[in-house]
Amino acid sequence: MEKESLLNYLYRFFDIIVLLFIVFDFGYDFQENYNSPHVIGLIILSFSLLGFNLFKFIKYKFKSNKKVALANIILLSSILFASFITALIHLDFSFSFILQKVKPILEGGLIFYFLIRLLVLVRHIYDIYFNPAIVFVGSFIILGLTGAFLLMLPSATTNGISFTNAIFTATSAVCVTGLAVVDTAKDFTIIGQSIILVLIQLGGIGILTFTSFFAFFFRGSSSFKEGLNTKDFIATEGLKDVFRAALNVVIFTLSVEFIGAVFIYFSVLDNDSITNKFFFSIFHSISAFCNAGFSIFSAGLFDESIRFDYFLQWIIMILIIFGGLGHNIIFNFYQYIKTYVLELFDKGRIHKQVRIITLNTRLVIYTTLFLLVSGFIFLYISEYNNTLLMHDTVFGKITNAAFNSVTPRTAGFNTVDFTKFNVPSLLFMIFLMWIGASPASTGGGIKTSTFALATLNIFAVAMGKGRIQILGRRISSDSTSRAFAILCISLIVIGISIMALLIFEPTDTPLLTVVFECFSAYSTVGLSLNFTSTLSEPSKYVIIATMFIGRIGMLNLMVGLLRQLNHQFYEYPKENILIN
């Protein structure tokens, strides 16, 4: 046991060395970094890590620890083997040229190695502090601060960046918002844009989901504590299949993003204004599925080169909708289709009289369809003689109206200049932003189910019913209470942020512009009336707090802090309060 403890300390020491090398490597640009000892250091570090993991694999006694060591050995061996093959292929070239070809392989491999080690560290935190809500909130804080410091590295930006702008950008990426105080296309290098992309991915799926994925991959099982930490975030009932669900979430997400990137790549293949089409496709696919709204075009999707690329816009829309629905809804439909196909080909199979499509799925789908269709009809009529005039064809007008109905659902991409929108259109978009996406999705807002429950409860109270009944099911009072708590908290937080911005900003700032910005920040949408880049220093921190609260949910934080105080095993006498 003492040997294993010593090995763990050495393990962490090597993690620090890897981190320092990565920061040194990516954070600072050297003109002669290919033919300097810098690249040789990467090779030596990779061999040292391989040797240390081989030693651990031999010395470790526990099977789970051996699995981790074996995975590291395979990864590091693959990196070194790929580097060796690359060197052999370019053996006829100069030594400097060979190092130039080998360096990206070593860098990418060591970054992936460090990410795995970082997830193992987060998993270790489960054992130190047990409070699912606090661990969930803490993971976003740590990720945001880490991202901010990485974005401040010299090679991440073209002309440097202040801490305030770095923490704003990192928070916007982690909270998959998309609001930007600096130009993502011009002010960040490809390294900085890659950091933002990683933050979007980890923030969209959740670092706890990735941690659970690796825990299941390495161990095949996990502790009861880990299950409780992950259960709420991925919205699974019970603890039995929590980690298998986390595995499915990660695989599903990466698969959809890969397919989306392929379609985006072919849609921009003939676009000469996009130099790195491969990175453009990956960036926008991940940003769309995670409902982040970041783009590596200064004008976003309103850029002249892709403004009328309707095929690309439909791909982005589909990715946004898939990400905004949530994996639970997709998996529920998959189970239904799977059962239907099995019964179709297996006539002897008798279907059990149990609903496969859950009430939650039905409620989310019906609400989503209602919002998308009503948003499309309203914006098509409202903007027909305004922003839609730039589109000559009916298909173009339909695509633009549909896109503007989808993007407020926490996506944040723009194919128009929203400052040109009519006031009724902006007010309707604020309403769509406030509702947002669905539970257990990559989007924000109060969520579609919350809006549906609040609406149903109004009708239930008006009809004198004591509970909500729909589609042959009775909705629990806990769900209704939670929905109204979320609804009230959202309005309180947004109201406070609006007042704060009106105090910190010039007196001539339009109220609608401030309201639009605050709703966009809380619902992690990322749309703006060209106001974000002009924010004062205090206003930026107000928006940072609003984005963070909107992403994690104030109710989650309050539950984490106050749940332990709720130990009442008694009831007070009941008394009614006069309302209305």
Side-chain angles (χ1 to χ4, degrees):
M1 196 69 180
E2 291 181 0
K3 284 183 179 179
E4 294 209 3
S5 298
L6 179 61
L7 284 174
N8 286 331
Y9 282 116
L10 288 172
Y11 214 165
R12 288 169 193 140
F13 172 75
F14 268 104
D15 289 342
I16 295 171
I17 297 298
V18 173
L19 176 61
L20 291 174
F21 235 102
I22 291 171
V23 172
F24 181 77
D25 187 41
F26 281 94
Y28 299 89
D29 257 334
F30 297 96
Q31 293 181 352
E32 298 182 355
N33 61 346
Y34 293 124
N35 54 6
S36 68
H38 177 70
V39 184
I40 305 298
L42 288 172
I43 298 172
I44 294 172
L45 179 60
S46 300
F47 273 108
S48 301
L49 287 171
L50 179 60
F52 182 65
N53 279 280
L54 283 168
F55 179 74
K56 284 190 309 172
F57 182 76
I58 296 169
K59 291 294 182 181
Y60 269 146
K61 296 178 181 178
F62 295 110
K63 188 176 180 181
S64 59
N65 290 337
K66 281 182 172 291
K67 278 186 178 181
V68 176
L70 180 61
N72 291 335
I73 291 168
I74 294 172
L75 173 62
L76 292 165
S77 299
S78 301
I79 296 168
L80 292 169
F81 181 74
S83 301
F84 178 72
I85 295 298
T86 304
L88 283 180
I89 294 172
H90 301 92
L91 202 58
D92 296 334
F93 294 90
S94 66
F95 183 67
S96 175
F97 186 82
I98 293 173
L99 290 180
Q100 183 179 351
K101 293 296 180 182
V102 168
K103 185 172 178 278
I105 300 172
L106 295 170
E107 287 174 337
L110 288 176
I111 288 174
F112 189 67
Y113 175 85
F114 179 74
L115 285 175
I116 293 176
R117 294 297 302 149
L118 182 63
L119 294 175
V120 171
L121 174 64
V122 173
R123 185 178 164 274
H124 180 65
I125 295 174
Y126 291 161
D127 299 326
I128 299 173
Y129 186 81
F130 172 57
N131 187 318
I134 298 300
V135 171
F136 169 63
V137 173
S139 67
F140 276 91
I141 294 174
I142 294 170
L143 196 58
L145 289 172
T146 304
F149 285 115
L150 290 175
L151 289 174
M152 291 180 70
L153 294 172
S155 65
T157 56
T158 53
N159 296 307
I161 189 173
S162 66
F163 175 75
T164 300
N165 289 344
I167 193 69
F168 190 102
T169 306
T171 305
S172 183
V174 170
C175 297
V176 291
T177 305
L179 291 175
V181 287
V182 293
D183 192 333
T184 309
K186 294 179 180 178
D187 295 328
F188 289 103
T189 62
I190 192 166
I191 292 173
Q193 292 169 359
S194 299
I195 293 170
I196 291 172
L197 191 62
V198 172
L199 293 175
I200 290 171
Q201 185 71 90
L202 291 176
I205 303 181
I207 192 170
L208 296 185
T209 308
F210 271 108
T211 304
S212 305
F213 165 72
F214 281 101
F216 185 88
F217 180 76
F218 288 135
R219 297 177 59 188
S221 62
S222 51
S223 67
F224 179 75
K225 284 185 178 181
E226 293 170 342
L228 288 175
N229 274 300
T230 313
K231 179 176 76 73
D232 292 333
F233 186 73
I234 62 175
T236 42
E237 300 289 340
L239 296 172
K240 184 179 179 182
D241 297 322
V242 166
F243 290 90
R244 193 171 293 278
L247 179 73
N248 292 336
V249 169
V250 173
I251 293 174
F252 167 73
T253 300
L254 297 180
S255 300
V256 173
E257 289 172 348
F258 173 76
I259 295 170
V262 171
F263 276 98
I264 292 173
Y265 180 82
F266 284 106
S267 71
V268 299
L269 198 58
D270 298 328
N271 194 327
D272 296 330
S273 62
I274 302 173
T275 53
N276 192 341
K277 295 179 176 60
F278 179 73
F279 183 74
F280 176 89
S281 303
I282 294 175
F283 190 97
H284 284 83
S285 179
I286 293 175
S287 183
F289 181 82
C290 292
N291 281 218
F294 275 92
S295 175
I296 52 177
F297 272 136
S298 297
L301 301 186
F302 190 57
D303 188 87
E304 291 183 3
S305 63
I306 56 174
R307 187 181 301 176
F308 302 106
D309 190 345
Y310 302 128
F311 180 62
L312 172 63
Q313 291 176 24
W314 279 104
I315 296 169
I316 297 292
M317 272 191 275
I318 292 169
L319 288 170
I320 291 169
I321 292 171
F322 268 87
L325 280 176
H327 56 271
N328 276 342
I329 309 301
I330 304 299
F331 291 163
N332 196 200
F333 266 106
Y334 168 75
Q335 187 64 34
Y336 174 77
I337 294 170
K338 179 182 174 183
T339 305
Y340 180 81
V341 171
L342 287 174
E343 290 179 350
L344 193 64
F345 289 97
D346 187 359
K347 301 298 183 182
R349 195 180 180 92
I350 301 174
H351 177 61
K352 296 179 181 179
Q353 296 300 315
V354 179
R355 284 187 177 184
I356 298 176
I357 301 295
T358 64
L359 177 61
N360 176 68
T361 300
R362 292 170 185 267
L363 205 60
V364 167
I365 291 297
Y366 293 155
T367 308
T368 301
L369 286 175
F370 170 75
L371 292 172
L372 290 176
V373 173
S374 61
F376 165 75
I377 294 172
F378 184 91
L379 292 173
Y380 189 87
I381 295 171
S382 177
E383 294 298 314
Y384 188 82
N385 292 317
N386 189 28
T387 57
L388 293 183
L389 290 175
M390 70 174 67
H391 301 277
D392 299 328
T393 63
V394 175
F395 180 71
K397 296 179 189 293
I398 291 173
T399 300
N400 192 259
F403 194 94
N404 290 328
S405 176
V406 171
T407 195
R409 309 289 310 290
T410 83
F413 287 104
N414 64 306
T415 54
V416 295
D417 183 358
F418 286 106
T419 58
K420 307 295 184 184
F421 257 37
N422 295 320
V423 173
S425 300
L426 290 176
L427 292 174
F428 192 81
M429 291 194 78
I430 289 173
F431 171 70
L432 292 177
M433 289 194 296
W434 181 54
I435 296 172
S438 304
S441 71
T442 58
I446 63 170
K447 304 298 170 52
T448 51
S449 56
T450 301
F451 171 72
L453 286 182
T455 306
L456 291 170
N457 189 60
I458 292 171
F459 285 104
V461 171
M463 291 187 290
K465 294 181 179 179
R467 52 184 177 267
I468 302 174
Q469 295 176 340
I470 184 172
L471 299 173
R473 290 290 187 271
R474 175 173 58 87
I475 297 174
S476 68
S477 58
D478 289 341
S479 297
T480 308
S481 300
R482 189 178 179 89
F484 270 88
I486 292 171
L487 194 148
C488 293
I489 288 172
S490 71
L491 293 177
I492 291 170
V493 173
I494 293 170
I496 292 172
S497 64
I498 290 171
M499 286 191 291
L501 256 63
L502 290 174
I503 292 170
F504 294 132
E505 292 301 305
T507 53
D508 60 343
T509 304
L511 177 61
L512 183 58
T513 301
V514 174
V515 171
F516 194 91
E517 190 81 9
C518 292
F519 270 92
S520 178
Y522 181 84
S523 298
T524 69
V525 179
L527 296 177
S528 177
L529 302 179
N530 297 335
F531 182 53
T532 312
S533 58
T534 65
L535 289 171
S536 63
E537 201 81 356
S539 296
K540 288 177 184 178
Y541 284 99
V542 171
I543 295 298
I544 287 171
T546 306
M547 288 189 295
F548 182 75
I549 292 171
R551 177 57 177 150
I552 65 166
M554 178 60 82
L555 191 61
N556 287 331
L557 183 58
M558 293 174 66
V559 166
L561 295 174
L562 303 178
R563 178 177 284 175
Q564 55 189 352
L565 304 177
N566 186 22
H567 293 296
Q568 296 180 359
F569 299 100
Y570 54 87
E571 288 185 2
Y572 290 109
K574 183 171 71 173
E575 188 171 343
N576 289 325
I577 301 296
L578 184 61
I579 298 175
N580 201 18

